[in-house]
């Protein structure tokens, strides 16, 4: 007997909705659990006190500093490279074998797993260049990791700037570079900022890269050559070595809500940009 | 600066991603290849005897573990991810889609260490009590990775489903097909290459993921004979031992990285080829 197509449709669509609900449920359970177990312990003192006794007590101050330091360095290095690449690809060339290679390189780089980047950063920055386990080695390796994100979002943002803007500038006698610097880049700024924010979010959550490039020292890093333990690495060590479950949860809460907040803000900014140009 | 000068400068910036990729490839192979050639590729790839202190380096068991864990992740992640993508692209009302899509994309922002941590707290005891074995197992790793690859599969599949022109759907509906028949016989085949790309990139993520796998997989060096056996993947092998390895042992970890890198590049190239054929 053949089932009436309308009946089988109803069955299948309900099943698909159920699976979607299940996926959402996983997300909700994760976020609620981390909030309930972790947020009550998060306080101003938790954020501003250094960890004591390997993190069994005290706060996470040094890891916040290390995270900010390393992420800042990564962004400072990756942003000019990424935006420059995007300008070159969109404004200075037509599609050719060269642009294809550049795009392909960025795409492949985005697919390189973080453990491979960690190996690379370890051998080049930590050993060969002699930077040791340091903020510098960690930041440079992270810069390579986020470069594809910045390239992709900047390229989209620059492409979204209407062609008429450029035509008007040229007709007023501005040079190509003046047009880009004075008109195109400012118009694309929200989109570029989105890329930078997504990169910050990605850097905050990264562990495998930093374990082997920035090390895990609990002191607050001051110099670029100091080792620094980021929040994600600290959380990993707390959880894996069973040092302190409450502190692990609290660190996870800080980490997760910073990332989700940044990602949501980036998403909102992108939506606003899309609306403005469409 | 002259216009020509600016263009040259931008080209240099644009070569940064390709340059990084080349450097990564060079250093991973430079450090790892001598050991593979020294041990003999056959012995290195197929022997399951890994005993760094005795100078035995065979990664056969880890290759098998990585492959099985990845396939397991796909068994869970592909149906779940596709169901979400189909619901969001085809059946959800527009307003709901606008809320659900970014919400599901938040899953991608949760750091892998958090997935690993919750895996240890919930999934591992669940497996130990209900299915037996140590709990830290191939199955646990596959389930966690299955969840972690969802954002990749969902967002790429949604994009490819949305790219199918509405004319196709209208034509099919006008011929009297139900909405599900339309999705099944017209939309899904039309979006096939995008969905295949999504699955391949999801595979790449699963193969390359490190921290979550270390935390839940148990890291035993044996060849797994059941889903409940603890396993060590290629990525976790590198991350577990890099901290203290030196000499030939360290070379062997880079050699593990070479194998991982080659697998990932093959997946990326396949994905790129599938996309281009469209």
């Amino acid at each position: 007997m053949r089932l009436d197509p309308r009946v089988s449709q109803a069955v299948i669509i309900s099943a698909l909705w159920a699976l979607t609900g299940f996926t959402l449920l996983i997300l909700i359970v994760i976020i609620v659990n981390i909030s309930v177990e972790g947020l009550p312990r998060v306080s101003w003192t938790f954020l501003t006190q250094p960890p004591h006794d390997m993190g069994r007590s005290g706060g996470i101050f040094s890891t916040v500093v290390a995270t900010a330091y390393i992420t800042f360095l990564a962004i400072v290095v990756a942003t000019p490279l990424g935006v420059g690449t995007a300008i070159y690809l969109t404004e200075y060339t037509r599609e050719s074998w060269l642009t294809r290679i550049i795009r392909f390189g960025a795409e492949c780089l985005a697919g390189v797993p973080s453990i491979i980047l960690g190996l690379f950063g370890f051998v080049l920055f930590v050993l060969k260049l002699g930077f040791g386990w340091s903020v510098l080695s960690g930041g440079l390796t992270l810069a390579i990791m986020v470069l594809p994100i910045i390239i992709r979002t900047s390229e989209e943002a620059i492409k979204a700037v209407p062609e008429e803007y450029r035509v008007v500038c040229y007709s007023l006698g501005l040079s190509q570079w003046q047009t880009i610097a004075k008109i195109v880049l400012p118009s694309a700024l929200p989109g570029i900022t989105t890329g930078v924010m997504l990169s910050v979010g990605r850097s905050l959550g990264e562990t495998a890269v930093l374990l082997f490039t920035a090390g895990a020292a609990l002191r607050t890093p001051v110099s670029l050559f100091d080792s620094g333990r980021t929040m994600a690495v600290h959380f990993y060590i707390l959880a894996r070595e069973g040092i302190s479950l409450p502190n692990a949860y609290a660190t996870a809460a800080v980490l997760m809500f910073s990332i989700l907040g940044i990602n949501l803000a980036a998403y909102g900014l992108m939506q606003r940009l899309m609306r403005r140009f469409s | 600066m002259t216009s020509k000068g600016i263009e040259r400068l931008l080209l240099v910036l644009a070569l940064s991603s390709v340059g990084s990729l080349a450097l990564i490839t060079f250093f991973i192979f430079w450090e790892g290849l001598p050991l593979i050639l020294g041990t003999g590729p056959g012995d290195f790839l197929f022997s399951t005897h890994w005993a760094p202190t005795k100078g035995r380096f065979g990664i056969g068991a880890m290759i098998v573990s990585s492959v099985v864990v990845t396939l397991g992740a796909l068994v869970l992640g592909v149906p779940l991810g596709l169901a979400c993508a189909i619901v969001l692209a085809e059946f959800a009302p527009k307003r709901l889609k606008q809320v659900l899509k970014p919400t599901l994309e938040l899953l991608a922002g949760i750091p892998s260490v958090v997935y690993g941590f919750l895996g240890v707290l919930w999934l591992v005891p669940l497996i130990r009590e209900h299915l037996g074995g140590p709990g830290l197992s191939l199955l646990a790793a596959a389930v966690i990775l299955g969840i972690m690859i969802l954002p990749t599969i969902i967002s790429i599949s949604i994009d490819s489903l949305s790219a199918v022109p509405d004319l196709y759907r209208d034509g099919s509906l006008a011929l009297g097909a139900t909405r599900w028949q339309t999705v099944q016989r017209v939309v899904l085949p039309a979006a096939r290459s995008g969905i295949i790309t999504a699955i391949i990139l999801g595979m790449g993520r699963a193969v390359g993921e490190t921290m979550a796998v270390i935390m839940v997989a148990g890291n035993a060096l044996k060849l797994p004979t059941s889903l409940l056996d603890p396993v060590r993947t290629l990525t976790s092998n590198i991350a577990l031992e890099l901290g203290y390895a030196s000499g030939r042992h360290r070379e062997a970890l880079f050699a593990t990285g070479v194998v991982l890198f080659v697998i990932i590049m093959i997946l990326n190239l396949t994905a790129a080829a599938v996309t281009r054929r469209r």
Side-chain angles (χ1 to χ4, degrees):
Chain A
M1 191 194 87
R2 260 185 68 114
L3 220 57
D4 185 325
R6 273 163 301 184
V7 176
S8 55
Q9 153 161 299
V11 173
I12 288 168
I13 293 184
S14 331
L16 291 175
W17 272 105
L19 290 175
T20 309
F22 179 68
T23 309
L24 276 173
L25 191 70
I26 296 174
L27 179 70
I28 293 168
V29 166
I30 293 175
I31 293 180
V32 168
N33 178 262
I34 299 281
S35 314
V36 170
E37 300 283 339
L39 278 185
R41 278 188 64 88
V42 178
S43 63
W44 183 245
T45 30
F46 183 72
L47 293 174
T48 54
Q49 258 189 4
H52 293 300
D53 196 13
M54 301 307 290
R56 256 177 218 96
S57 56
I60 53 168
F61 180 67
S62 60
T63 69
V64 174
V65 174
T67 309
Y69 204 168
I70 292 173
T71 305
F72 178 74
L73 186 66
I75 297 299
V76 166
V77 174
T79 308
L81 293 176
V83 176
T85 305
I87 298 174
Y88 184 78
L89 286 177
T90 49
E91 304 287 320
Y92 278 90
T93 48
R94 291 173 190 289
E95 288 301 309
S96 67
W97 61 272
L98 188 60
T99 59
R100 272 203 294 277
I101 287 183
I102 292 170
R103 281 216 179 80
F104 181 72
E107 230 171 83
C108 279
L109 198 56
V112 174
S114 48
I115 187 71
I116 298 280
L117 285 173
L119 274 176
F120 165 71
F122 175 70
V123 65
L124 179 61
F125 300 126
V126 176
L127 298 179
K128 295 262 190 291
L129 294 176
F131 299 159
W133 279 309
S134 61
V135 169
L136 184 60
S137 304
L140 291 176
T141 319
L142 276 193
I144 295 177
M145 183 183 81
V146 298
L147 186 58
I149 305 178
I150 297 191
I151 294 178
R152 198 183 322 122
T153 40
S154 307
E155 209 188 328
E156 272 170 37
I158 294 174
K159 271 189 191 154
V161 178
E163 198 53 39
E164 297 91 78
Y165 285 29
R166 299 180 182 87
V167 176
V168 170
C169 288
Y170 294 145
S171 69
L172 290 171
L174 265 66
S175 73
Q176 185 176 21
W177 178 247
Q178 284 170 323
T179 306
I180 292 170
K182 299 262 164 64
I183 301 297
V184 176
L185 281 185
S187 313
L189 196 61
I192 296 171
T193 315
T194 308
V196 170
M197 288 164 74
L198 290 175
S199 304
V200 172
R202 180 87 169 71
S203 302
L204 290 184
E206 184 52 48
T207 315
V209 166
L210 293 170
L211 212 46
F212 304 115
T213 54
L218 257 180
R219 270 172 295 110
T220 310
V222 180
S223 133
L224 277 175
F225 294 97
D226 285 347
S227 164
R229 183 192 285 194
T230 64
M231 273 192 278
V233 173
H234 185 56
F235 167 66
Y236 169 69
I237 292 172
L238 289 183
R240 177 139 174 86
E241 299 181 0
I243 292 175
S244 159
L245 195 62
N247 274 358
Y249 258 121
T251 313
V254 175
L255 191 62
M256 200 180 71
F257 281 100
S258 327
I259 296 173
L260 294 187
I262 289 171
N263 285 358
L264 268 182
Y267 186 82
L269 198 64
M270 199 64 180
Q271 293 301 308
R272 262 184 45 197
L273 180 78
M274 297 307 239
R275 264 205 300 278
R276 189 184 339 155
F277 286 130
S278 63
Chain B
M1 208 192 294
T2 63
S3 151
K4 206 77 204 145
I6 290 172
E7 190 178 331
R8 283 218 192 89
L9 177 69
L10 287 172
L11 175 61
V12 172
L13 296 181
L15 290 174
S16 60
S17 53
V18 190
S20 306
L21 190 68
L23 274 179
I24 293 168
T25 315
F26 172 78
F27 275 108
I28 301 289
F29 277 81
W30 179 260
E31 296 287 321
L33 213 50
L35 185 118
I36 298 183
L37 299 176
T39 321
D43 207 30
F44 182 71
L45 291 175
F46 300 120
S47 155
T48 58
H49 191 64
W50 175 272
T53 45
K54 295 184 197 132
R56 292 299 310 261
F57 304 104
I59 60 168
M62 299 161 206
I63 294 182
V64 171
S65 302
S66 275
V67 169
V68 179
V69 165
T70 303
L71 292 180
L74 291 181
V75 167
L76 178 72
V78 170
L80 217 50
L82 265 184
C84 289
I86 293 173
V87 163
L88 287 185
E90 303 294 324
F91 297 118
K94 204 164 167 237
R95 291 296 277 283
L96 192 63
K97 180 185 171 183
Q98 276 170 354
V99 180
L100 285 186
K101 188 166 182 257
T103 310
L104 283 172
E105 277 167 358
L106 284 185
L107 269 172
I110 297 174
S112 50
V113 274
V114 171
Y115 283 106
F117 174 63
L118 296 179
V120 173
L121 285 184
W122 294 338
L123 189 61
V124 168
L126 205 69
I127 292 175
R128 188 169 49 222
E129 279 154 31
H130 294 280
L131 300 172
L136 296 165
S137 57
L138 204 162
L139 180 65
V143 171
I144 292 291
L145 285 179
I147 296 171
M148 293 182 69
I149 63 174
L150 283 174
T152 310
I153 294 183
I154 294 175
S155 70
I156 302 176
S157 303
I158 287 189
D159 290 345
S160 67
L161 289 172
S162 307
V164 175
D166 272 335
L167 276 174
Y168 287 30
R169 295 184 185 84
D170 298 344
S172 164
L173 292 172
L175 287 171
T178 64
R179 288 180 71 194
W180 169 247
Q181 284 172 328
T182 303
V183 170
Q184 184 192 10
R185 307 267 172 81
V186 178
V187 181
L188 282 177
R192 197 181 57 207
S193 70
I195 292 171
I196 293 174
T197 309
I199 295 173
I200 297 173
L201 291 179
M203 258 173 104
R205 269 217 73 184
V207 176
E209 175 52 44
T210 313
M211 303 319 284
V213 176
I214 290 190
M215 294 169 91
V216 301
N219 305 321
L221 277 166
K222 279 194 317 76
L223 197 67
T225 51
S226 117
L227 284 180
L228 301 175
D229 279 352
V231 293
R232 179 185 293 203
T233 62
L234 293 168
T235 51
S236 28
N237 188 47
I238 301 171
L240 283 166
E241 300 190 357
L242 188 63
Y244 62 88
S246 61
R248 266 173 57 81
H249 184 190
R250 181 146 78 206
E251 283 177 33
L253 297 179
F254 277 90
T256 315
V258 168
V259 175
L260 181 65
F261 193 70
V262 169
I263 296 175
I264 296 281
M265 281 305 143
I266 291 175
L267 288 176
N268 282 347
L269 289 173
T270 318
V274 172
T275 317
R276 203 164 311 130
R277 225 182 39 202
R278 187 159 33 173

